[in-house]
Amino acid sequence: VRTRSLHGPSPVTKFGPKACMLQNPKAIMHIQDPASQQLTWNKPPKSVLVIKKIRDASLLQPFKELCIFLTESKNMIVYVERKVLEDPEIANDESFGVVIKKFCTFREDYDDISDRVDFIICLGGDGTLLYASSLFQESVPPVMAFHLGSLGFLTPFNFDTYQSQVTQIIEGNAAIILRSRLKVKVVKELREKKKAVQDRGEEKGLIVKNGESEISRRTVQYQVLNEVVVDRGPSSYLSNVDLFLDGHLITTVQGDGVIVSTPTGSTAYAVAAGASMIHPNVPAILITPICPHSLSFRPIVVPAGVELKIMLCPDARNTAWVSFDGRKRQEICHGDSITITTSCYPVPSICFRDPVNDWFESLAECLHWNVRKKQNHFIAEEEEY
Amino acid sequence: VRTRSLHGPSPVTKFGPKACMLQNPKAIMHIQDPASQQLTWNKPPKSVLVIKKIRDASLLQPFKELCIFLTESKNMIVYVERKVLEDPEIANDESFGVVIKKFCTFREDYDDISDRVDFIICLGGDGTLLYASSLFQESVPPVMAFHLGSLGFLTPFNFDTYQSQVTQIIEGNAAIILRSRLKVKVVKELREKKKAVQDRGEEKGLIVKNGESEISRRTVQYQVLNEVVVDRGPSSYLSNVDLFLDGHLITTVQGDGVIVSTPTGSTAYAVAAGASMIHPNVPAILITPICPHSLSFRPIVVPAGVELKIMLCPDARNTAWVSFDGRKRQEICHGDSITITTSCYPVPSICFRDPVNDWFESLAECLHWNVRKKQNHFIAEEEEY
Amino acid sequence: VRTRSLHGPSPVTKFGPKACMLQNPKAIMHIQDPASQQLTWNKPPKSVLVIKKIRDASLLQPFKELCIFLTESKNMIVYVERKVLEDPEIANDESFGVVIKKFCTFREDYDDISDRVDFIICLGGDGTLLYASSLFQESVPPVMAFHLGSLGFLTPFNFDTYQSQVTQIIEGNAAIILRSRLKVKVVKELREKKKAVQDRGEEKGLIVKNGESEISRRTVQYQVLNEVVVDRGPSSYLSNVDLFLDGHLITTVQGDGVIVSTPTGSTAYAVAAGASMIHPNVPAILITPICPHSLSFRPIVVPAGVELKIMLCPDARNTAWVSFDGRKRQEICHGDSITITTSCYPVPSICFRDPVNDWFESLAECLHWNVRKKQNHFIAEEEEY
Amino acid sequence: VRTRSLHGPSPVTKFGPKACMLQNPKAIMHIQDPASQQLTWNKPPKSVLVIKKIRDASLLQPFKELCIFLTESKNMIVYVERKVLEDPEIANDESFGVVIKKFCTFREDYDDISDRVDFIICLGGDGTLLYASSLFQESVPPVMAFHLGSLGFLTPFNFDTYQSQVTQIIEGNAAIILRSRLKVKVVKELREKKKAVQDRGEEKGLIVKNGESEISRRTVQYQVLNEVVVDRGPSSYLSNVDLFLDGHLITTVQGDGVIVSTPTGSTAYAVAAGASMIHPNVPAILITPICPHSLSFRPIVVPAGVELKIMLCPDARNTAWVSFDGRKRQEICHGDSITITTSCYPVPSICFRDPVNDWFESLAECLHWNVRKKQNHFIAEEEEY
């Protein structure tokens, strides 16, 4: 019987009768087959962060039910963002008020809960996972994500049986998929001192000051689950950015912009821009031009270990704009740089079945593979008249 | 200083305060960073297979020069396919006849030279590497590939300085890239005994007889460097094939066919069918539908470790055809199957510079990134009037 | 109030203070706005050809009902192809036998019914219209096409209310859309006299002998509703065909092949190969390369009046294959040519509502515009978490 | 001998033995075959507007030469925009000063020269034609466009032989192509009276006041040669716009935006977004989604006579932005609308050879059809090894 594996097989290291690979023990890595990755608990989990998509009335009842279940039946400490509770439908529900009192609340960008949450439950859409990712700039607790309407790429669990499924996760092992993130460093040249001070409070990434250098620079770092997008922003004209890989200029991207995404992000904006869909266990970074001027410029997939850098092209006449999982949009001027590489802090997503089946289920849903029968009028066949 | 790597970084294995990855020592693999892969020789190489693109007059002189250099200056035993020497331009060149006498010759499909060749030199085009690959169904000797006209994806060396470059390879270390191959097993139900016998001689793969089973089946195995193509063959009607991944039906591909390719093959047929271009160090398999009936069916990239199987859809009214690196075209009927997974016998290609630079050089050439300046009339800018 | 029009407005013919268009009365055409095209009858229609998709059990009952209605209630003479009646489900239905006796039957390729049919009713799929088109190489009677399952591009009528709808067509006016066809001439050099004789009987197009010329040529002509496809056929290698427009070589198409289609055909094979979808009232011909070798080769739309010619490229090493609406597949060798231009014999399709609404209804169905709500997990939005 | 035509042939109007097209004399249009369109002069042309791409030093010398030639040898009155003459390289050239004194100068948006220019000469790039188009909101004088570097889509003339070519145009007939434009009406609800007044001065289109209506609206009209682009502007989130055709909602476009272009514009931004390339003589409007959320949403080509309307989707949470040939970028809010139809004021472009050859020449240049030979390493062929 073949053991399931998501690794490729180890290649032979002898090539013909006399050649072989030079052994380099320092360059050897030890990787556990993604097909066998299981979650375990050092100690029983006690605290759970519940993230709810806002502005979606259909989620209110499931949210309340889930919180009551976690608090009352499971004795968990529930963390909820304060603004979720400000929704009048929640704030004015007196019967729910008793439960709310037991919650720990926090405010985004003010309270750091990154070392207090044992696991995360998301309710409502792929965006909830992006938001969860943004709250944890280093190690991320395991995430269990429920869809309520149709299956999403990142939300494999069906809410109907949430009680048994949550119980099972709390009690023991579960298959997980490590969704790689990108570590993105934005280095901006500071032109006005005032601006730098103002901005600091707003940034949600880690701020790494670089005070000693003569030219003042500010470095902000982000962890990105889907993609970094560099685009023309409000300008009508082509963006013009240089793309460097491990220090070498690879090409200038002329067009609406460029998307650098994880495999997880390949099924989001990148696929709309023409990229292939990459399984999240493939260790890779995807570079996708947006409406490129050059018709032969195709999306490119590079190994996870490379370091990319994006800067304005020296002769660019307009600035560019960058955003991170659709957030923190900011301008990129001459001299600024964006450095991107694979992070060592992935998002551990709990699988409904396993990394392969979960992914293909979501593809089938999103690509309408299940409605194939309806499409048979598309290309006519002679025998069908 | 950052050490160059083509691996992603090892991810942390603790997730929040209490969760971690369950250790599974049996599932751990030890992989050398592709960025540090170097060739070495156990013993000095003595024999070299020279492969020349046929029907290209411009290659005759370089071929002769190279063979004389290898034989006379380097004292190597040169292997050449017999039909290459049958070219009148070579056979009738008396001065070259002296050198030819020292050659070892062989015939494709008759003589097995797979354990007698220490390294391989290719002259002339990406097709020479595909041909070299087909000669070695298991371990492949290192390949050094020269382009004579423009740079190819698989032929990084410029012939102008062949002497010093060949010398350097023979003498010692060189960066190599392991180009993964696909191991493809075709299982055909035998309908006529005669046909099975006839065919056997023609097959260039390893023939694995399966005599005991009640229903007679024949299994042939191929090593593929670029891609396996399943298409509608001479039929005008859509092919209709089922695609299985690790035993599960993923989807039915309706259209002109489907391409299963290595990263090396991503820049060949697959890119013409709309796929992204994948660096050969990404451990992945690329599945690309050809003109799919369903407009939302995009190319898919899966981890190198999965096992794919392709069969005719049970209600398909036409057969399909399969080919391997453009060769061995054959019909696939109901009951036949094609099983594809990553092989442990890659093609070790000697790099001109390194795996990253060589690849981007060839992309730049093939995507006309070097002619960017000429394209600036494409999308007009206001400021340019 | 704006009058609906599918014409562009007449352009002004004065350009600035002193320039104007040189009048050329001979080159003026008089075209009725497609938005106002209505069917009328010179005499009441008496005969109707009923075309049924074969091998589809769900169509048997509607087919019988319709034939009884036409024969008994409407006193029409029903034409049916003989092989349709050979289906045991029809032949063995004794109660239907009475009706069958009143039918006129015919055999494809033997009996010419092109001047005996007043209108055509199609049941079952876009393929039925292609088949109807193939029966009428010159003027085509009006076609009324019913879908039974989901809406097709060419089958706008719902069968549920067939009685009132058929009655309305018989009685008077109806909006029609003239679906342009391509007139395709295939000129083959005759290499063997025998082959020419054999082939003649099989051809369904008009045979135009060309006996006087020294080199023997055979010309066959086809009317095509969707597309002419030239492809590599059973070969694994790229096809290599030269494309001429009004006598000038435009480009060589290297790849899997090329599709020349009408706007009607733009939503069939061409769209799967990457073409834009063209409304059938746009007077144009669409040229779509199939998996072209050159990544920047995009589909091209040219005016309906041009004449295209396709021949093997002189240095092509393989032949190509051509088919017409998926039929009459044949080999194209060196010296053969395929000449394509817009035909003056369109297919007059009866509209369910009007040319614009019918088309967008079918697009919405085929592009799943009606399932938009289900897709909202695709690209996550910040506000949605 | 076949007469060249860019019209489709007149279709027959009898369909089978008894049906025919209902004659509707009011709906008949008289169109001159585009293949025969020739320019002529009512009176000899006396004034010429010269448009030069700015910030391109290589154009200075040709510009001066051309102006001297027109002024001295041809006795033409040369119109030049004032800011072109403010370039120090021109202003400080004393020898050229004598010529400048004879020029008529004007300022964009202040001086209306639309009825004083007999023809237009463009120097430098496709953008010059877009600029010329923007200066003439109604009838446009004939345009002769020179490229200096590589051939553009809109600039067929080579400057090397400008003297003889300009002389020929002035003296008599020349083939012209009428490049259709889009007439675009933007209706904005006025929320602040002040804003309306401020904006008025900036608008370059025709301002059509709509003072009587209770809700204050402002209508501005533009003539567009390439395209109208509606996009998400500075927002990170999908734009969400409703597309109406002749008053019916066709679909909601979710994605980066949508491009509505002329055939001329099909080779500009639209092709980068995936559209087919449409010959400028095809009477059509091209609708191209930009990175659409729905993977099956393809570019659509509709007849030139339809009227499109774009509005924000009622449940859109962000505004959209619109621009016209890359200019006049402005925000579109709830209640605003953009109405688009084919204009009756095309741009008459003087052909170098004829409409067909000029277009294919520019395609060949831009698609690198001329560098085909260099690409033969892309897809390997067995026979080529």
Side-chain angles (χ1 to χ4, degrees), chain B residues 52-63 87 89:
Chain B
K52 185 185 79 64
K53 182 179 167 181
I54 58 172
R55 297 192 216 172
D56 185 339
S58 71
L59 292 173
L60 285 169
Q61 201 48 45
F63 170 73
D87 182 334
E89 294 286 330

Side-chain angles (χ1 to χ4, degrees), chain B residues 52-54 83 126-128 130 150-151 267 271 326-327 366 368 371 374-375 377-378 380 382 384-385, chain D residues 52-54 83 126-128 130 150-151 267 271 326-327 366 368 371 374-375 377-378 380 382 384-385:
Chain B
K52 185 185 79 64
K53 182 179 167 181
I54 58 172
K83 76 176 172 190
D126 289 354
T128 54
L130 297 179
S150 60
L151 191 62
T267 49
V271 78
R327 298 152 164 267
C366 298
H368 303 295
V371 290
K374 291 178 60 183
Q375 296 181 329
H377 44 261
F378 229 90
E382 180 171 352
E384 276 185 345
Y385 69 83
Chain D
K52 185 184 80 65
K53 181 179 168 183
I54 58 172
K83 75 176 172 190
D126 289 354
T128 53
L130 296 179
S150 58
L151 190 61
T267 49
V271 78
R327 297 152 164 268
C366 297
H368 303 294
V371 290
K374 288 179 62 184
Q375 297 181 329
H377 44 261
F378 230 90
E382 180 170 353
E384 275 185 345
Y385 69 84

Side-chain angles (χ1 to χ4, degrees), chain D residues 240-254:
Chain D
N240 229 321
V241 296
D242 282 340
L243 177 66
F244 299 83
L245 194 148
D246 285 342
H248 293 90
L249 175 62
I250 296 306
T251 191
T252 299
V253 186
Q254 258 189 308

Side-chain angles (χ1 to χ4, degrees), chain D residues 67-79:
Chain D
C67 289
I68 292 167
F69 171 74
L70 291 167
T71 311
E72 318 266 279
S73 308
K74 295 288 165 186
N75 284 312
M76 307 283 288
I77 300 165
V78 171
Y79 281 76

Side-chain angles (χ1 to χ4, degrees), chain C residues 125-141:
Chain C
D126 288 354
T128 53
L129 231 95
L130 297 179
Y131 177 70
S133 164
S134 76
L135 295 176
F136 296 86
Q137 292 290 313
E138 299 191 346
S139 174
V140 185

